[in-house]
Amino acid sequence: MDIKEQLTAIKTQLRLSMNGAVSQSMREKGLVYKLNFGVELPRIKMIAESYEKNHDLAQALWKEEIRECKILAGMLQPIDTFYPEIADIWVEDIRNIEIAELTCMNLFQNLPYAPAKSFHWIADEREYVQTCGFLTAARLLMKKGDMAERASGELLDQAMCSVHSESYHVRNAALLVIRKYMQHSEEHAFQVCRMVEGMADSAVIGEQMLYNMVKAETE
């Protein structure tokens, strides 16, 4: 099948797997899509497994304003043809936290240029670009070896600043980075504990969240 035929076949499979209750629930939780079939993630993964990774197919899927197509795009995009400029185009097109989290997990964290690109995105003022930067960086920290010590230190500084963000998703992604940084080593955990010592009675929401997260992590 050519790309157009594959795209049609995938959409047919998605329609056959649609779940209106799931779609409605997601809307109520604020996950808004132009079109959402409500297909659950295990089923989307099964559909992805029936196709080989293909750059043109992934790019075509990403351009569809359909939740499941965007998720599949991240699963089917080959790493070697996903150039930095394409990564920037994709991340600028992300409009909600589900696509941000899944695309970072399925694709962005695996890119050879992910460490540098995550810092580039974190420095951006747009909510979901910044969120993807932190989410990608958190996954690199989880790999315990994909980020140099100096870079992880700089990342901690960025995350500590971003807990003050007005964006709920940026704050949460920054907190995730700090948690993964702490889990990297006892030295890192001690370092963060020292940084939050004075936040116990802070009136700043982000600092309260950070202090409580650190406390829970060290109990």
Side-chain angles (χ1 to χ4, degrees), residues 100-169:
E101 289 175 343
L102 291 174
T103 311
C104 289
M105 177 178 72
N106 294 323
L107 180 60
F108 294 160
Q109 69 161 327
N110 300 316
L111 301 171
Y113 51 84
K117 187 56 73 177
S118 65
F119 275 96
H120 176 75
W121 290 340
I122 286 167
D124 198 291
E125 293 184 356
R126 287 168 292 183
E127 180 180 23
Y128 284 108
V129 177
Q130 199 172 6
T131 299
C132 285
F134 279 123
L135 291 175
T136 301
R139 290 200 163 271
L140 293 176
L141 285 172
M142 287 167 66
K143 293 182 178 181
K144 296 190 177 182
D146 277 21
M147 188 170 286
E149 191 71 21
R150 181 180 172 185
S152 64
E154 291 175 8
L155 177 62
L156 176 64
D157 292 340
Q158 295 270 19
M160 293 293 287
C161 290
S162 292
V163 298
H164 298 97
S165 173
E166 293 180 3
S167 164
Y168 173 82
H169 295 307

Side-chain angles (χ1 to χ4, degrees), residues 17 28 36 38 64-65 84-85 90 95 113 126 143 159 179 200 205 212 216:
S17 304
E28 291 170 356
N36 179 358
E64 295 287 330
E65 292 300 319
E85 55 270 25
W90 277 38
R95 295 288 180 270
Y113 51 84
R126 287 168 292 183
K143 293 182 178 181
R179 187 161 79 244
I205 293 175
N212 290 334

Side-chain angles (χ1 to χ4, degrees), residues 32 35 94 99 145 160 169 176 196 206 212:
V32 179
L35 184 57
I94 290 174
I99 298 301
M160 293 293 287
H169 295 307
L176 178 63
V196 304
N212 290 334

Side-chain angles (χ1 to χ4, degrees), residues 34-35 61 91 212:
K34 188 170 183 179
L35 184 57
L61 284 163
V91 84
N212 290 334

Side-chain angles (χ1 to χ4, degrees), residues 178-193:
I178 295 168
R179 187 161 79 244
K180 296 305 176 186
Y181 181 87
M182 291 178 68
Q183 292 170 354
H184 199 272
S185 70
E186 289 185 12
E187 182 183 348
H188 283 187
F190 180 73
Q191 179 186 0
V192 175
C193 287

